[in-house]
Structure formats: structure tokens, C-alpha cells
Amino acid sequence: MSGSLWLKRPTTDTPLPTIPRPRRETAPGATGPEASDPATPATPATPTTPTAPATPTAPATPTAPAAPTAPAGAGAPGAPDAPAATAPDGPAQVLAADPLDELAARIGAFAAVAVHPDEIAALLESDGMTDDHIRLTYGRADSFELAEDLYARVERNHPAPEVPTGDAWHTGLAGCLLRGLVFALPGLAYVLAAPLLAGEQGRFGLPGGTVPLLAGAVTGWVWNQALSHRAYTWLGLGDRPAAARALLVGAPLGALVGTAVALATAAPGETPAALFAAGQAVYLAAATVLLVLGRERALLCALVPLAGAVPAFRWDLPDALRAGLLLAALTASVVFAGVVLRPGARRGAAGRAGPPRAASLAYGLFGLGSGLLVLHAGVGDTPVSGAGAVIALTLSMGPAEWLLHRFRGESLTRLRTLATAREFRRAVTGTLVLCLGGYLTVLVALTLAVTLAWPGAPWPTLPRLVTLLLIGTVLWLGLLLQAFGAVLSAAAVCLVAAAAEVLAPAAGPVAAGGAAAVLAVLACVLLVRPTAHRA
């Protein structure tokens, strides 16, 4: 099988509005710095000598402030009484409006669609409002108290949403199914290479050559998961040439590292398996390039020669033909990847610092944990039953990706249409249950389909089917948390579960069940918050 190369997609965020600072309002016609334009700095007051407008030639003499003149018609019979415009000690001044009312009017559009005060508090903090500024200007203790007041003042208004055509979280089912197919097709390479890799009994009770194959595959999963995250980060910044440059440097290095690990773990007599593992490392690097840059159809065309493995299920093919089909698929993958990377090779450096490399480490660890779980699912009572479980899990990654997009899209829709945090929590929890249930249903259907299509494959027993569903739950919830940025939590849970299965294989169902429960709790705690979907 090939590595599960389901990779995190970049999100498309809506920029938060900027909150203008409140300004003091004065009565029309008032004089002094308070009546000046807010964009013009006030000039310090200096003694001046106003001139009399009626006699331009008269010498300027200081005059006392003139009493305000009543407007035309004031005091006439039937005219309304004019409000008192003067005070005993000077001209009238109208008090400024409540700054909180002014702030509510300025950010009313955003506050009206918020389903929780924390969303408004996040907006205030992002605009740079400190607690000291809030206490002095609005008389509230902090941003949370101010947000609660604003949430109470502004009436809820949730217009019907319009699905954006270019939203990264709305994708077609056909594209996701295509990705699932190209994830699974490389498994046919093992069918073609099986007679070439046959040998004596290997280590740890496994067939000969299994150790270098597994070591090379796991190394490729870890490296390429981290590399793909870095490339996707560049794509999210809108710099596709920089993403191509990152892949141009990282993919060959990953192939070299995978090859070195496979050769180092090969025992005497396992040279054919080590060479196959080296080709597997090169393929994983090329497939990562094509999948990250959206060239799934090119990768599918490159894998067409592996269709020659279908007759190998019933008939014995010549070794030369088997090797030729494998080399043809590998060569086509490398050529297509090289063509896609040409823009990255032509242009020079972008001239700005890229995303930190340490941020991609967690994604590599998640790839390690999830890869070990998938390999454990492949350890069955018979090689055929184990391979069938792995194929079903790999094929399910396409529908899994589509359901992840559906969950995010439905959550954003609920965020724009629901009025309270309680309603939002209920709706998101229901969507989460439906999407997870849909994925597990697809996984069961694929397992049964693979069992029917594989000659001589035994029907999965109930314990093995339950274990497979638990592993599928861990993978889907882990990918969901990874998509929302909680990759460290998902990676830690997957690594602990994988370590428990490796150290105590009999405790596999218990470890997978515990990991699934922990991830389910994390998802319910983190993803029902409206702020998790605003970010």
C-alpha cells in the first residue's frame, strides 16, 4: 500500500473589521479644538483679536463674547419654545454621546451575527483594545465584560448565507474520490512485486523483506506529511512558486532518507526488498508533489501501468513484465512531478522568510502515529485479510476528506444562521455525529467490497471489524482536529495508541477504543465553540 497522503488544506478566513476609536462630539456651531475635524490636530489656544464684521476699516479691539442670537421666528406667536442655549457661566455645551452606544453602532454588523460574546471580545482584542483603554473609555473591567454589554445591546441578525463559489471548504465529491483512488492504487505494486520479494522467513515472525519495506514506508509518511504542510502553508500565503521550491528541495531529500532507512534495516538476503523500498520512497516523494499541487489526474495516469496487476491475481506473469510495469509507473510519476516543479526551479528566492519549519514537525508526528495504526490494521489472521483491511482504509480516505469538508462547510453555515451559542453547539454536535457515522458506513461498505472482489479472502470476524472501525474513527477524528489546528493533540493520541499496539498487540482493540474516545471528547470540546470556526 502507499502512505496515507491526506493532507491539510489551507483555510480561507474573512478579515475582521477594524474598530475606529470613539471621538468626542460637540454641539453644532461650538468653537474651539473640540469642534475641529477629528483628522486635524487641535491648535493650542492663543489670544486673538476678532474684527467686527460690520466695519472692516475699524481698528481691532477685544470684544466680549456675543450672546447667541435667536433664530428667525423665535418667540413669535405659535412658534415652539427654543431650548435653553446658554448657561449662567458661558456658552452652551452638549454632552457627548455614550461611547458604548457609538461603539455598538460602529461594529453592529459584526456583533449582530455573533452567536457568543467571546466572538466580539476576540474582535476587540484583535483591534488592540487593552483593558486599561476599555476601563478609561467605556467604564468596563475588560474586553469580556465590554463584549457582553455589546452582545446584549445589538439585536441578533443572521441573514441566510450564500455559499461562496471559491470556498476552500466546499469541494466536489468526485475530486475527493479521485484522491482516495490514487491513495489505494499503489497497493497493486505489492501484488506485482510479491514473487520478486519472496524469500526466507524474516525477522519478528514476519515474511522476508517486510522490515525494510515497513521502515521505508513509515519514514516516507513522516517526512512527506511534514513537507506537505510546509508547502500548503506557502499555498495559503498565495505563493505557489515558493511552495514548488519547498517541494523541489524537500521531496528529493525525503526520497534519499527513505532509501537510506530501507537499506540500513535490510538484513542479508533482503536486497530485493530494500531496492523495492527505495523505489517506494521515490514514488512517495513524487506523489506528494503531485497531490499537494493539485495534479491528481496526472498521478492517476502515471499509475495506469499498475493495472497490469489485475491479471496477476489469477495467472502467473513473467518476472520481466512485472518489473517493467513497476518501473513504468515509477518513471511516469517522477517525470510528471518534475514537470509540475518547473516553475519552482525557474524562479529565485521569494525574498521573505517562510513559515517556521518547527510548525511542520507536529504533522510529521501525526503521520507517524496514523501510519503505525494503519499498519497494525494490516496484521490479520492471514495476509489476504490484513491487506484487505489496509486497502479499505486507504480507499476510505477519499470519502473521509469530503466529509471533513462537509463538516467545516455546515459549521460555517450554522455560524451565520443560528442566533445563540446553545443552538450552535447542538447543531455542530449533530453534524459531527452524522459525518463520523457516514465515514464509518463507507468504511464498512469498502471492507465488504474488497472481501468480495479478492479471490479467497475470508469474511472479517466481528472483533476484527470492530477494531477496524475504531482505527477508522481515530484516523477521521485525528484528521478533523488537524484541519482545525489541534494537530499536537491528535498526534499525541495517535502515537500513544500506536505505541500500545506495538508493545502489546493483544491490547490493540483497547488502545484503539481509548484513542477514539479521547479524540471524540477533544472534538466535542474544541469544535462546538464558535471561535474555533471564526479563526
Side-chain angles (χ1 to χ4, degrees):
M1 63 162 279
S2 69
S4 175
L5 292 175
W6 192 94
L7 308 173
K8 182 177 183 293
R9 296 299 188 93
T11 60
T12 303
D13 296 334
T14 302
L16 296 176
T18 302
I19 306 173
R21 292 288 185 265
R23 60 183 178 87
R24 180 181 178 87
E25 295 183 358
T26 58
T31 60
E34 294 85 351
S36 62
D37 186 84
T40 306
T43 306
T46 57
T48 60
T49 55
T51 59
T55 56
T57 59
T61 57
T63 60
T69 304
D81 293 337
T86 60
D89 56 348
Q93 293 285 339
V94 178
L95 295 177
D98 185 357
L100 189 58
D101 288 337
E102 184 181 3
L103 180 61
R106 294 180 187 277
I107 66 169
F110 178 85
V113 299
V115 298
H116 196 277
D118 287 351
E119 297 182 70
I120 304 176
L123 173 64
L124 299 175
E125 293 174 356
S126 68
D127 193 60
M129 283 195 183
T130 62
D131 290 343
D132 291 338
H133 173 77
I134 291 173
R135 282 192 293 269
L136 292 174
T137 307
Y138 303 103
R140 303 302 186 272
D142 51 31
S143 60
F144 293 99
E145 183 178 342
L146 179 59
E148 290 176 357
D149 286 350
L150 291 170
Y151 184 81
R153 286 176 181 240
V154 179
E155 183 180 358
R156 305 296 95 207
N157 181 20
H158 297 269
E162 295 182 2
V163 177
T165 56
D167 192 351
W169 291 106
H170 292 81
T171 185
L173 178 59
C176 293
L177 293 178
L178 177 61
R179 290 173 68 88
L181 182 61
V182 298
F183 290 158
L185 276 180
L188 295 175
Y190 291 91
V191 177
L192 287 173
L196 307 177
L197 304 178
E200 300 178 356
Q201 183 68 23
R203 292 160 285 172
F204 311 110
L206 300 173
T210 303
V211 173
L213 287 175
L214 296 182
V218 171
T219 302
W221 295 341
V222 174
W223 182 279
N224 290 303
Q225 279 285 339
L227 175 63
S228 62
H229 170 261
R230 183 168 178 80
Y232 272 133
T233 304
W234 277 118
L235 290 176
L237 295 174
D239 197 340
R240 189 177 181 86
R245 285 192 296 272
L247 294 169
L248 182 63
V249 175
L253 286 177
L256 290 176
V257 172
T259 300
V261 170
L263 293 176
T265 56
E270 293 181 335
T271 301
L275 293 177
F276 182 84
Q280 176 182 254
V282 174
Y283 166 77
L284 288 175
T288 299
V289 171
L290 295 173
L291 288 173
V292 169
L293 297 181
R295 297 294 189 270
E296 291 88 353
R297 289 180 175 81
L299 183 58
L300 180 63
C301 293
L303 296 177
V304 167
L306 296 183
V310 175
F313 282 104
R314 295 186 178 275
W315 299 285
D316 187 19
L317 301 180
D319 291 347
L321 178 59
R322 293 174 180 269
L325 293 174
L326 292 172
L327 290 176
L330 178 60
T331 303
S333 302
V334 173
V335 170
F336 288 153
V339 171
V340 171
L341 289 177
R342 287 177 61 188
R346 286 200 306 264
R347 296 185 58 179
R352 60 173 175 173
R357 291 180 174 84
S360 301
L361 178 61
Y363 293 85
L365 295 176
F366 178 78
L368 174 61
S370 59
L372 291 176
L373 289 174
V374 172
L375 290 178
H376 186 270
V379 180
D381 300 328
T382 64
V384 173
S385 63
V390 173
I391 292 174
L393 278 173
T394 308
L395 284 172
S396 71
M397 288 297 101
E401 183 177 356
W402 184 76
L403 288 168
L404 291 172
H405 284 77
R406 290 289 299 174
F407 173 80
R408 180 60 183 251
E410 291 294 327
S411 300
L412 292 176
T413 300
R414 298 294 183 270
L415 192 64
R416 292 189 289 262
T417 56
L418 299 180
T420 65
R422 181 187 297 273
E423 293 176 347
F424 180 76
R425 285 195 297 269
R426 290 177 177 175
V428 170
T429 302
T431 304
L432 178 63
V433 172
L434 288 177
C435 290
L436 178 58
Y439 169 70
L440 295 180
T441 302
V442 170
L443 182 57
V444 171
L446 289 174
T447 302
L448 298 179
V450 171
T451 303
L452 290 173
W454 195 302
W459 286 97
T461 61
L462 182 60
R464 283 199 56 80
L465 185 60
V466 171
T467 303
L468 180 64
L469 293 178
L470 290 175
I471 293 176
T473 302
V474 172
L475 292 179
W476 194 83
L477 291 176
L479 291 172
L480 179 65
L481 291 172
Q482 172 186 279
F484 278 85
V487 62
L488 281 175
S489 302
V493 173
C494 289
L495 284 174
V496 171
E501 290 182 346
V502 171
L503 297 177
V510 177
V518 172
L519 290 179
V521 172
L522 287 175
C524 290
V525 171
L526 296 177
L527 302 184
V528 298
R529 299 181 303 175
T531 50
H533 302 266
R534 293 284 189 191

